[in-house]
């Protein structure tokens, strides 16, 4: 039962400018009503919650993840690039039932809450195409966890073998025979299901909202992308896609369209303020300007980009071009965890390899702004990402006796650069405490753990997935991309004794 009024007393409250001061927070009907000096008077009916020795921060907002990845933790081999990973992505969800879809989203939500994240944008996949029951199961898991989420069915009308020109021809005959007939769900069927999902949304949009996730532009025909954009406009919902995530995508886009991916998407009318682009790594200067002009937002995923060797996104240039940037973790199989603290720290650290001018680096405060208010804009939630009157009471309590806060000098800097989620003590979402004293109050994590192991054993057997090793076809796809000069990237390593400024 949520008390109508709650007063949080004794905490150190982080403000939007990065300062921290002892303040009390009054909450009414899930919203922050007032933040004022310690001990300020409230009516007797308010429930008092102690935040002594805790720092209070706005819940982190994950701008890009995939809840289906949680049940696939540990299934992505060590040295695997994006294209190698995508080769097996369909088969890894093939045998799941509705309960498995719910379970994966519940596991994903439990991890995010534990690590101080209170809202996310989830592109969730079903094989061979989305179903109303499947998306409803994912949304239900978020509702049951108490988290906010934007849930988008991840859809396409091409497989990787149709998306990468020359790939099928490059495969040995016996492998080609296995994969040549793979098809995505028919377009009309996909859109009819999506329309049904969007027209019959049964969840409280204050917490769980629908969206559409055309997976990767190269995996979608132009007709498919345009229909996605039209359906999103019709229902007034956001769209998210993976844009120029790998060098292969950037290069193959150029070869296929005779112009950059971004130029092409602009030409077919796909770019808009509804759209957010996850990753956005392999962009030219014109592309960042184009994204800025069109109002496209970007979800930056530094941990996944490093894990898959995809590259380093030009975040500084995007910000200069007026692009709204949020921070995401990507799924907990390709990032090995949905840790928004880690992703936020990496966003700041990684900006330092882009150039030597320290003034251009992304500061701890900026990175924190991206991970809260920036990501909130990607999700399209207007009143999250900040502790201020009128905002949702999505509040994370951090223990100040954690080593990286001792001694305490610069709370925000010490949090962004030192926190790993272990200090998260209490999490409140919309005024409701969902995590307290290291325990999730909304879902039974012991049960989830047992169900997850049972499901993993059963699904691996059903899918014939070799655990912890890449398949032959995945290695062949990796070799194909490498042969085209399309894998990874390297940093210039030339010693310049003149030391540029
Ligand atoms: Zn992704």
């Amino acid at each position: 039962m949520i008390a109508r009024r709650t007063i949080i007393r004794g905490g150190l409250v982080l403000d939007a400018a990065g300062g921290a001061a002892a303040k009390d927070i009054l909450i009414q009907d899930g919203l922050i009503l007032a933040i004022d000096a310690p001990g300020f008077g409230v009516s007797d009916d308010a429930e008092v919650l102690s935040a002594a020795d805790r720092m209070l921060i706005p819940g982190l907002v994950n701008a890009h993840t995939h809840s289906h990845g949680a049940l696939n933790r540990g299934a992505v081999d060590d040295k695997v690039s994006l294209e190698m990973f995508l080769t097996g992505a369909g088969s890894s969800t093939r045998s799941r039932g509705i309960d498995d879809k719910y379970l994966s989203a519940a596991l994903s939500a439990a991890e995010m809450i534990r690590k101080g994240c209170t809202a996310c944008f989830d592109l969730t996949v079903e094989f061979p195409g989305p179903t109303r029951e499947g998306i409803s199961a994912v949304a239900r898991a978020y509702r049951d966890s108490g988290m906010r989420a934007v849930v988008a069915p991840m859809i396409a009308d091409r497989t990787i073998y149709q998306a990468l020109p020359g790939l099928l021809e490059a495969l040995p005959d016996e492998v080609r025979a296995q994969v040549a007939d793979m098809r995505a769900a028919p377009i009309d069927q996909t859109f009819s299901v999506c329309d049904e999902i969007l027209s019959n949304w049964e969840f409280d949009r204050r917490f769980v909202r629908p969206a559409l996730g055309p997976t990767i532009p190269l995996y979608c025909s132009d007709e498919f992308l345009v229909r996605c954009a039209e359906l999103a406009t019709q229902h007034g919902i956001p769209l998210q896609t993976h844009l120029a995530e790998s060098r292969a995508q950037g290069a193959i886009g150029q070869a296929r369209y005779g112009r950059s991916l971004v130029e092409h998407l602009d030409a077919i009318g796909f770019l808009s303020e509804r759209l957010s682009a996850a990753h956005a790594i392999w962009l030219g200067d014109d592309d960042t300007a184009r994204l800025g002009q069109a109002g496209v937002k970007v979800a930056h995923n530094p941990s996944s980009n490093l894990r898959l060797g995809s590259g380093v996104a030009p975040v500084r240039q995007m910000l200069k071009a007026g692009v709204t940037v949020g921070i995401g973790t990507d799924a907990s199989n390709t990032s090995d965890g949905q840790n928004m603290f880690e992703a936020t720290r990496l966003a700041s650290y990684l900006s330092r390899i882009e150039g030597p001018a320290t003034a251009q680096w992304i500061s701890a405060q900026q990175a924190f702004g991206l991970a809260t208010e920036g990501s909130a804009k990607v999700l399209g939630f207007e009143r999250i990402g900040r502790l201020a009157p009128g905002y949702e009471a999505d509040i994370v309590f951090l223990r100040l006796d954690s080593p990286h806060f001792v001694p305490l000098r610069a709370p925000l800097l010490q949090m962004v650069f030192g926190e790993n989620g272990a200090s998260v003590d209490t999490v409140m979402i919309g005024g409701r405490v969902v995590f307290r004293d290291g325990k999730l109050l909304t879902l039974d994590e012991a049960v989830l753990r047992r169900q997850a192991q049972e499901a993993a054993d059963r699904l691996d057997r059903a899918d014939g997935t070799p655990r912890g090793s890449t398949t032959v076809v995945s290695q062949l796809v990796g070799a194909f991309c490498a042969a085209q000069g399309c894998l990874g990237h390297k940093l210039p390593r030339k010693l310049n004794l003149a030391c540029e400024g």
Side-chain angles (χ1 to χ4, degrees), residues 36-104:
D36 217 329
F40 77 92
V42 295
S43 54
D44 289 344
D45 63 342
E47 183 193 350
V48 180
L49 196 58
S50 169
D53 206 24
R54 304 286 181 262
M55 179 155 78
L56 304 178
I57 65 166
L60 300 174
V61 182
N62 191 346
H64 177 72
T65 188
H66 307 277
S67 60
H68 57 262
L71 208 40
N72 281 348
R73 288 182 185 126
V76 179
D77 199 7
D78 189 336
K79 297 179 184 176
V80 165
S81 68
L82 176 71
E83 276 70 28
M84 293 169 77
F85 163 68
L86 290 172
T87 306
S91 63
S92 66
T93 55
R94 189 172 50 208
S95 306
R96 291 188 185 184
I98 292 294
D99 290 349
D100 299 318
K101 293 170 189 178
Y102 176 91
L103 173 62
S104 199

Side-chain angles (χ1 to χ4, degrees), residues 135-137 139-140 143 200-206 208:
I135 296 301
S136 178
R140 206 158 24 88
R143 183 198 62 195
N200 296 285
W201 195 251
E202 59 200 306
F203 299 91
D204 179 357
R205 288 175 195 243
R206 184 169 169 189
V208 186

Side-chain angles (χ1 to χ4, degrees), residues 150-501:
V150 176
V151 178
M154 191 160 78
I155 50 178
D157 63 343
R158 290 180 179 146
T159 66
I160 189 170
Y161 305 101
Q162 296 161 323
L164 305 189
L167 172 59
L168 265 185
E169 294 71 26
L171 295 174
D173 291 346
E174 67 277 15
V175 176
R176 184 165 54 245
Q178 287 167 27
V179 299
D181 293 334
M182 283 175 63
R183 290 286 178 274
I187 297 188
D188 286 339
Q189 186 186 320
T190 298
F191 283 106
S192 132
V193 172
C194 287
D195 191 36
E196 202 190 328
I197 291 168
L198 299 171
S199 302
N200 296 285
W201 195 251
E202 59 200 306
F203 299 91
D204 179 357
R205 288 175 195 243
R206 184 169 169 189
F207 288 90
V208 186
R209 299 179 183 178
L212 282 179
T215 175
I216 299 170
L218 286 172
Y219 292 54
C220 302
S221 62
D222 288 351
E223 181 201 348
F224 190 91
L225 292 170
V226 169
R227 284 183 67 175
C228 278
E230 286 170 357
L231 194 59
T233 304
Q234 193 186 320
H235 287 278
I237 52 149
L239 283 163
Q240 190 172 91
T241 191
H242 295 80
L243 181 65
E245 177 175 354
S246 66
R247 189 170 184 160
Q249 284 180 15
I252 292 168
Q254 187 75 38
R256 178 190 286 174
Y257 303 121
R259 51 191 171 186
S260 77
L261 281 170
V262 174
E263 274 180 282
H264 181 70
L265 296 177
D266 198 9
I268 65 169
F270 185 67
L271 303 186
S272 76
E273 290 181 353
R274 291 196 182 286
L275 178 69
S276 55
H279 304 281
I281 298 172
W282 295 92
L283 303 175
D285 289 343
D286 289 352
D287 290 340
T288 43
R290 219 177 273 269
L291 293 177
Q293 279 153 16
V296 176
K297 303 167 189 80
V298 165
H300 177 40
N301 300 279
S303 28
S304 149
N305 295 345
L306 289 170
R307 162 68 144 104
L308 298 173
S310 301
V312 179
V315 177
R316 169 55 56 193
Q317 285 95 305
M318 290 191 240
L319 293 173
K320 271 189 189 152
V323 177
T324 294
V325 177
I327 293 178
T329 59
D330 219 346
S332 49
N333 52 342
T334 53
S335 288
D336 308 285
Q338 297 173 101
N339 193 327
M340 278 297 295
F341 286 108
E342 180 185 79
T344 306
R345 180 170 64 254
L346 283 174
S348 179
Y349 281 5
L350 265 179
S351 73
R352 293 152 203 239
I353 70 166
E354 283 192 68
T358 53
Q360 300 294 313
W361 294 352
I362 292 172
S363 68
Q365 187 185 337
Q366 273 178 307
F368 190 67
L370 301 186
T372 49
E373 296 195 73
S375 292
K377 291 192 177 109
V378 173
L379 267 61
F381 276 78
E382 304 76 19
R383 295 187 303 186
I384 63 171
R386 180 190 286 221
L387 298 186
Y391 276 68
E392 294 280 359
D394 294 1
I395 306 173
V396 173
F397 297 46
L398 298 177
R399 296 180 63 100
L400 285 170
D401 58 355
S402 297
H404 52 279
F405 289 126
V406 180
L408 191 64
R409 287 193 176 89
L412 183 132
L413 184 141
Q414 286 172 262
M415 171 188 60
V416 172
F417 290 167
E419 183 55 58
N420 63 5
S423 314
V424 175
D425 162 82
T426 296
V427 177
M428 172 185 272
I429 304 176
R432 175 188 183 198
V433 175
V434 297
F435 185 83
R436 182 87 171 147
D437 297 330
K439 193 170 162 23
L440 191 61
L441 306 179
T442 49
L443 299 170
D444 188 331
E445 288 183 286
V447 171
L448 291 182
R449 182 183 178 195
R450 202 169 58 241
Q451 291 174 337
Q453 194 60 54
E454 180 278 321
D457 295 343
R458 171 172 45 81
L459 294 169
D460 285 355
R461 266 197 313 276
D463 293 338
T465 320
R467 196 174 279 180
S469 65
T470 45
T471 59
V472 171
V473 64
S474 158
Q475 286 166 3
L476 288 166
V477 169
F480 171 80
C481 291
Q484 299 208 332
C486 280
L487 266 191
H489 59 100
K490 61 182 180 190
L491 294 168
R493 281 199 203 285
K494 200 174 67 175
L495 182 63
N496 185 345
L497 294 174
C499 282
E500 298 164 44

